Amino acid sequence: MNEVEPRAQPVPAPLIDAEAGAAAGAARGRGRANGLGPVALVVAGGLSVQFGSALAVLIMPRTGALGVVSLRLAVAAVVMLLVCRPRVRGYSRRDWGTILAFGLAMGGMNTLFYQASDRIPLGAAVTLEVLGPLALSVLASRQWISVLWAGLALGGVGLLGAAGFGGLDPVGAAFALSAGACWAAYIVFSAKTGRRFPQADGLALAMAVAALLSLPLGVVEAGTRLLDPVTLALGAAVALMSSVLPYTLELIALRRMPAPTFAVLMSLEPAIAAGAGFLILHQALSLVDALAIALVIGASVGAVRSQSRRKAAPA
């Protein structure tokens, strides 16, 4: 007798609806996680940078601004090269051009920023520097809402720095603005490097380029003072907090979010710096400072939510 295959039983409609709802909920959960993940990386990187910058202030009397930069980038490059062990073969001339541009932007950003912070208050330097990423967010975005968020963040940045802008050294302000331009270039080439090189290999190679460019300047200014054990220890801590950790986190974040959104998130830096000053240096926040921080954070959250909605919108 031939066996008759059992017929497939129809799945009850409520069960189908439940499964579809669960799948949709899981997808929404993954979307929220994917959206919040890069933001958390950027914020963690910002916290690390600002606390590292506070520590760098302790080294400047020992080595000068150029000495701090060269020590920070040299130690960071050695750590990254040892950890990543990037391969140097198999890349095109265009790939190496991206690495060179990334390294130049990184070295310029660090050198110019420390020259600025040696002449003007740190909060004012960060506030002026962040104008570079804000300008990038406006120029690179094709959505009018991004212009709105960038404008809101710019208003917050202006409020945050208003109290410290009176009587600024013009040379220091020019250095900070130039550092902002390099920061915008850093964002662009960091994203390109992340697409062209696996893991953090491109970052390690670019950091080596930046270190090679800055080291001679630091040696000329600081000389043998760079070899002082205490200075080396502080420099290593600054390198880890201000270069290795934040640059790695930012490189990963830029693989998962567009450069304009990342640029707007960079406007959190002055707010983080103000918070670090309050917690570490016991600098009181005024009502204007608090309002400025709220505007900057609101703009950053708005930019991220707008980007998430565009991704979630059906094609």
Side-chain angles (χ1 to χ4, degrees):
M1 181 180 294
N2 295 332
E3 295 184 357
V4 179
E5 293 184 359
R7 296 176 59 186
Q9 297 297 317
V11 180
L15 183 57
I16 296 177
D17 293 340
E19 291 176 349
R28 286 193 297 270
R30 287 192 298 270
R32 285 192 294 270
N34 291 335
L36 291 175
V39 177
L41 293 176
V42 173
V43 172
L47 288 169
S48 184
V49 165
Q50 295 308 324
F51 281 98
S53 296
L55 183 59
V57 173
L58 300 177
I59 311 178
M60 280 191 185
R62 297 170 175 266
T63 64
L66 293 176
V68 173
V69 173
S70 62
L71 190 59
R72 165 184 168 176
L73 290 177
V75 173
V78 170
V79 172
M80 291 297 295
L81 290 173
L82 289 175
V83 172
C84 298
R85 297 183 181 180
R87 63 182 180 90
V88 295
R89 295 183 179 181
Y91 296 116
S92 67
R93 185 175 299 178
R94 197 169 180 178
D95 293 334
W96 285 112
T98 301
I99 287 296
L100 179 60
F102 189 21
L104 286 170
M106 188 186 304
M109 177 179 67
N110 283 277
T111 300
L112 292 167
F113 175 75
Y114 279 111
Q115 288 290 336
S117 61
D118 195 32
R119 291 169 170 82
I120 61 178
L122 183 61
V126 175
T127 301
L128 289 173
E129 187 191 25
V130 83
L131 295 179
L134 282 172
L136 174 64
S137 70
V138 174
L139 295 174
S141 176
R142 299 177 182 177
Q143 300 284 335
W144 69 267
I145 191 67
S146 297
V147 178
L148 174 63
W149 295 129
L152 185 63
L154 181 59
V157 168
L159 280 177
L160 193 62
F165 284 163
L168 281 185
D169 178 4
V171 176
F175 275 131
L177 290 171
S178 300
C182 289
W183 195 356
Y186 163 86
I187 293 172
V188 172
F189 287 106
S190 180
K192 290 183 177 181
T193 300
R195 291 191 293 266
R196 289 178 175 272
F197 292 82
Q199 306 301 325
D201 287 8
L203 175 61
L205 294 171
M207 198 169 287
V209 171
L212 289 174
L213 292 174
S214 66
L215 191 57
L217 300 175
V219 171
V220 169
E221 182 172 39
T224 57
R225 287 176 292 171
L226 292 174
L227 302 178
D228 177 74
V230 176
T231 302
L232 282 174
L234 291 172
V238 171
L240 292 174
M241 295 175 66
S242 296
S243 294
V244 176
L245 180 59
Y247 291 170
T248 302
L249 295 177
E250 290 170 3
L251 184 73
I252 296 171
L254 276 165
R255 286 174 173 160
R256 300 165 61 184
M257 70 165 54
T261 302
F262 180 87
V264 174
L265 281 172
M266 288 296 97
S267 62
L268 285 170
E269 293 287 344
I272 296 173
F278 176 74
L279 294 173
I280 304 301
L281 304 177
H282 307 292
Q283 297 172 344
L285 292 174
S286 67
L287 291 177
V288 174
D289 292 333
L291 176 60
I293 291 173
L295 286 175
V296 171
I297 293 175
S300 300
V301 172
V304 173
R305 288 180 63 85
S306 297
Q307 182 62 34
S308 300
R309 286 171 182 170
R310 285 198 296 271
K311 285 183 176 181

